Amino acid sequence: MKSKILNKILLLTVVISLLFTMTANAAAFTDISTHWAKSYIERVAAKGIVSGYDNGTFKPDNNVTVLEALVMISRLYDIDDDLKEKIVEEYEPSLKKMTNTLYSEWSFEYLSVIIELGVVSENGIEDMFAKKTIFQQATREEIAVLLTKAMMLGDEAQNLKVYTLPFADAAKISTSARPYVYVMYDKDIFTGDSNKNINPSNKITRAEIATLLDKAWKYIDENDVYPDFDDYVPTTSLNGIITKVSTGTAESYIYVKNDSEVESIVKINKDTAIYLNGKAVNIDKLKEDMLVKCKIDSERIAVKLEADSSTDVVRGIIYYVAYVAPAKITIIDEDDDKITYDMPTDVKVYLDGKEIALKELSKNDEVTLYIDNDKVYQINSISRIKKFNGTITAIDYNYPIVVKMKTKEGVIKSFTFNSDVDVTRNDKDSSFDQVRVGDEVTVTTEYDDMIAINTIAKEAEMSGTIKEIIIGDDNKIKIADEDGETTQYAVSNNVIITIGSNNATIYDLRVGYNVSVNTSGNEIVTIEAAQLQTAKSFSGKIIYINSTDKIIMMQNVKDNGQKELVYLTVTNNTKIFDTTGSTKYFKDLKEGENILSTAISQSGEYVAASIMIQ
């Protein structure tokens, strides 16, 4: 009896070993260096679609069974783990009841996906096991049928009425498989050999199916093909530290910072399952600095939260690392205290989300220590230089200037701008007067202070012709689009207006100008037009000086007390003086100073005739 059980275990081990041993690096396959399918094999192996053997070989010329083919095909799509788990839960019970499945239990996960994809029905799989055809070597036409269905092209094949198979041996293709073979030919997946034969009944080799899978994956990727799992709610995982908890009546939020220090917003509603240390709780039990694992749906609503309060979290700046035994790390914590911790040999160390050795940590980098039972078990270090990518949502032009952006993770960040910040636009040197609300932006910080900003212009949301300009406490513009439909827009007090390549104000716009605009909320925040003719006096505070182009960005105070942005070009003819009448120069102008300026419109820009420093 023991001998039989041992034999079964050994057989099961061999089967699993043959089919599931993933080679660490596709380039390590020792038997494909001169094989015609080398590049195809390496690509699909790198994606985890096919695998090699324990001895480092791929055996490209071996034939493939139907079961092996189904397993490989099931890996064409990157299916969320939670979703896959639900799919397996749906079909595994019935798979276990099928005959002749002994030693094939390992395949149930993949066969469940195959059933859900509609490649083979549940009854079809049962019939394959019952007749043991699933263990037979697969033919080329069988793979054509299976791949067509897996690529969501089954309906296209079934709806074919008139088509011509361009193969010399087309007559040998079974009637039921012909439309599927044609679809695979039409999508450049299947091609004939040098004699224009498709060889439909030939057994398919591992090299051949790797080639077909590579082409299928490329088609799926280029055509954005993905199965529609109507009965399942796909989720993504987010793990990290809770940095903020915000509760509300209808919906609440938590902010979660992952190991790479990227912060994300997670919504919580009445259906969210919340657990703290394994026990179901309400959101009011969640606190800052708790570790949390989140399962999030496509609308970033948490389906499930698992929080852990048993771990202590300590933040600080690295002061010193002793990586020779006994290893230690000294940090300056948030209270400016210098603290030293012993480092166990199994401590996990990460820099910007990537695992590293303890000795690779650098002085002055930010660090978070995870401590359980007085033992440091993980270190997350972040370079003092960080980058945030997203979209500019608002600019506060009250001195000093504050830029607000929404990161790609949905988090609102605010950064203070100063004249030392390196400004680029489309990766070319620029100045802050070219920065616009709605621009795509990358903000670089050092210890959370902005040191660089790069913007990419946002495409206009709407273009048309100005039909009416309404000046008042709340400025408005009516614009007719290309279809002649007129819409009225409110104009932000901080609107950025350019005419040609020059900065302007709303007073420079004229009825009939062609404009392109961007909005934020219900207000226009940028206007690009074509002509400029006006002259005006301005009084207000300098908020930015472009020394290279001699442009002053100021906040003009209108008669009604409202503020507007004005751009003044300073020339050698501009008279600059203070309230005593003493002559001053461009270098004497300072951000934050109040000035009174008379400007003349010349060639599409405001040129300052005089500037009095108040």
Side-chain angles (χ1 to χ4, degrees):
M1 181 68 177
K2 289 183 179 179
S3 177
K4 288 183 179 179
I5 294 174
L6 181 58
N7 287 338
K8 289 181 180 180
I9 293 173
L10 288 173
L11 179 57
L12 178 60
T13 303
V14 170
V15 171
I16 293 175
S17 176
L18 287 174
L19 288 170
F20 285 94
T21 301
M22 296 297 295
T23 305
N25 186 335
F29 292 145
T30 59
D31 56 348
I32 66 170
S33 60
T34 60
H35 199 279
W36 62 267
K38 178 177 182 293
S39 61
Y40 298 105
I41 294 168
E42 289 177 340
R43 281 195 294 270
V44 288
K47 296 179 178 73
I49 298 174
V50 301
S51 56
Y53 294 85
D54 280 338
N55 61 3
T57 63
F58 184 75
K59 301 182 181 179
D61 298 319
N62 279 17
N63 292 335
V64 177
T65 67
V66 174
L67 179 58
E68 290 170 333
L70 289 172
V71 169
M72 295 175 190
I73 291 170
S74 75
R75 297 170 178 158
L76 276 172
Y77 298 99
D78 183 15
I79 302 174
D80 174 77
D81 287 342
D82 285 343
L83 174 56
K84 188 180 292 184
E85 184 178 328
K86 291 178 181 178
I87 292 172
V88 174
E89 289 175 356
E90 175 73 19
Y91 298 108
E92 191 173 46
S94 60
L95 287 168
K96 287 181 177 178
K97 296 176 182 178
M98 294 180 186
T99 58
N100 301 321
T101 60
L102 186 63
Y103 310 130
S104 298
E105 293 87 351
W106 57 268
S107 67
F108 289 171
E109 172 187 339
Y110 306 96
L111 294 178
S112 296
V113 172
I114 287 293
I115 296 169
E116 182 61 30
L117 291 174
V119 178
V120 183
S121 68
E122 195 170 344
N123 289 336
I125 294 291
E126 184 175 17
D127 187 62
M128 285 180 176
F129 273 118
K131 297 177 180 177
K132 298 185 180 181
T133 55
I134 200 166
F135 306 114
Q136 294 177 0
Q137 293 175 351
T139 64
R140 288 174 57 80
E141 72 171 28
E142 284 176 325
I143 297 303
V145 174
L146 297 175
L147 261 185
T148 301
K149 293 180 178 180
M151 294 165 65
M152 308 295 129
L153 297 170
D155 288 344
E156 181 176 331
Q158 292 176 9
N159 293 329
L160 283 175
K161 301 298 182 185
V162 179
Y163 58 92
T164 301
L165 289 164
F167 305 113
D169 58 349
K172 296 180 180 179
I173 304 171
S174 63
T175 302
S176 61
R178 285 180 183 178
Y180 298 95
V181 172
Y182 176 80
V183 170
M184 289 294 91
Y185 160 75
D186 184 57
K187 308 303 181 187
D188 293 324
I189 309 299
F190 267 69
T191 56
D193 61 18
S194 58
N195 296 317
K196 296 185 179 181
N197 289 321
I198 192 66
N199 304 309
S201 60
N202 282 12
K203 308 304 181 186
I204 196 163
T205 66
R206 287 169 58 82
E208 288 172 333
I209 197 169
T211 302
L212 298 175
L213 290 167
D214 180 63
K215 293 179 180 180
W217 189 92
K218 183 180 179 182
Y219 174 89
I220 288 168
D221 182 56
E222 291 180 349
N223 292 277
D224 294 324
V225 177
Y226 194 79
D228 184 11
F229 298 107
D230 291 331
D231 297 332
Y232 304 97
V233 178
T235 61
T236 56
S237 298
L238 174 64
N239 301 334
I241 300 175
I242 298 176
T243 58
K244 182 180 178 181
V245 180
S246 176
T247 57
T249 305
E251 200 168 57
S252 301
Y253 303 84
I254 63 170
Y255 290 67
V256 179
K257 188 176 288 187
N258 67 13
D259 289 345
S260 298
E261 291 290 297
V262 175
E263 195 171 47
S264 302
I265 295 177
V266 178
K267 301 176 186 177
I268 299 173
N269 61 21
K270 59 182 179 62
D271 297 321
T272 302
I274 305 174
Y275 298 90
L276 177 60
N277 301 327
K279 295 182 179 180
V281 296
N282 295 321
I283 188 174
D284 58 355
K285 298 297 183 181
L286 300 181
K287 307 296 180 185
E288 292 182 12
D289 286 339
M290 285 183 179
L291 299 185
V292 67
K293 295 180 179 179
C294 311
K295 296 295 184 184
I296 308 166
D297 66 16
S298 59
E299 296 180 356
R300 300 202 65 77
I301 298 175
V303 176
K304 183 179 181 181
L305 291 178
E306 296 177 283
D308 174 15
S309 64
S310 63
T311 297
D312 293 325
V313 178
V314 179
R315 296 185 179 87
I317 303 295
I318 297 176
Y319 179 76
Y320 179 74
V321 179
Y323 53 84
V324 178
K328 299 178 184 293
I329 186 171
T330 301
I331 69 169
I332 299 174
D333 68 11
E334 294 172 315
D335 297 323
D336 287 332
D337 293 327
K338 196 179 295 183
I339 308 174
T340 299
Y341 295 90
D342 293 329
M343 292 292 102
T345 57
D346 59 349
V347 64
K348 295 287 186 181
V349 184
Y350 298 89
L351 175 63
D352 297 331
K354 183 182 296 184
E355 188 168 4
I356 62 170
L358 182 66
K359 64 181 181 181
E360 295 179 72
L361 292 175
S362 300
K363 184 177 181 179
N364 294 327
D365 279 351
E366 296 180 6
V367 69
T368 302
L369 307 183
Y370 298 87
I371 304 170
D372 189 19
N373 293 325
D374 297 324
K375 176 183 176 181
V376 177
Y377 69 87
Q378 183 171 322
I379 300 174
N380 287 352
S381 180
I382 299 296
S383 303
R384 65 179 185 277
I385 305 296
K386 301 178 188 175
K387 290 184 182 293
F388 299 90
N389 297 305
T391 304
I392 296 177
T393 56
I395 302 176
D396 184 353
Y397 290 103
N398 290 308
Y399 185 81
I401 299 170
V402 176
V403 178
K404 291 185 178 180
M405 65 174 290
K406 185 175 184 179
T407 69
K408 291 182 177 180
E409 293 73 33
V411 177
I412 301 298
K413 292 280 188 181
S414 297
F415 303 97
T416 300
F417 175 85
N418 61 61
S419 56
D420 293 327
V421 173
D422 180 37
V423 182
T424 54
R425 191 165 180 81
N426 300 321
D427 295 318
K428 296 180 179 179
D429 288 339
S430 185
S431 56
F432 192 79
D433 53 289
Q434 300 301 311
V435 175
R436 305 285 188 264
V437 171
D439 284 349
E440 293 181 16
V441 66
T442 298
V443 173
T444 305
T445 64
E446 182 174 20
Y447 296 131
D448 294 329
D449 291 330
M450 182 192 290
I451 60 173
I453 180 171
N454 179 63
T455 58
I456 299 174
K458 177 183 178 182
E459 292 185 4
E461 295 175 353
M462 186 269 192
S463 297
T465 303
I466 296 178
K467 291 298 183 182
E468 186 177 353
I469 303 172
I470 304 169
I471 304 295
D473 291 341
D474 296 313
N475 297 328
K476 297 179 175 64
I477 292 180
K478 291 183 179 180
I479 300 174
D481 62 20
E482 59 183 11
D483 297 324
E485 184 175 344
T486 300
T487 305
Q488 179 172 289
Y489 298 90
V491 180
S492 168
N493 289 330
N494 292 323
V495 63
I496 304 292
I497 301 176
T498 55
I499 300 181
S501 60
N502 303 303
N503 298 310
T505 73
I506 193 171
Y507 299 100
D508 305 313
L509 298 176
R510 296 290 183 269
V511 172
Y513 279 9
N514 291 322
V515 294
S516 297
V517 303
N518 285 308
T519 61
S520 178
N522 297 319
E523 293 185 325
I524 290 178
V525 292
T526 67
I527 301 175
E528 295 182 2
Q531 295 292 329
L532 179 63
Q533 289 293 332
T534 194
K536 199 171 174 63
S537 294
F538 303 101
S539 176
K541 183 178 294 183
I542 297 174
I543 61 172
Y544 176 73
I545 298 175
N546 177 352
S547 300
T548 303
D549 299 321
K550 286 194 171 183
I551 295 175
I552 295 172
M553 192 174 178
M554 67 173 292
Q555 210 166 47
N556 179 51
V557 180
K558 298 192 290 187
D559 292 338
N560 60 8
Q562 291 188 333
K563 298 176 181 179
E564 64 175 358
L565 288 176
V566 175
Y567 299 79
L568 300 177
T569 297
V570 179
T571 70
N572 292 334
N573 296 321
T574 303
K575 296 184 181 299
I576 305 175
F577 51 95
D578 62 16
T579 54
T580 68
S582 299
T583 300
K584 297 294 180 180
Y585 302 92
F586 184 84
K587 64 182 178 64
D588 298 317
L589 297 173
K590 306 294 182 187
E591 293 175 357
E593 286 183 336
N594 287 316
I595 62 171
L596 177 63
S597 177
T598 300
I600 300 172
S601 174
Q602 290 183 0
S603 302
E605 61 183 8
Y606 276 122
V607 177
S610 65
I611 297 175
M612 183 175 74
I613 303 173
Q614 296 180 309

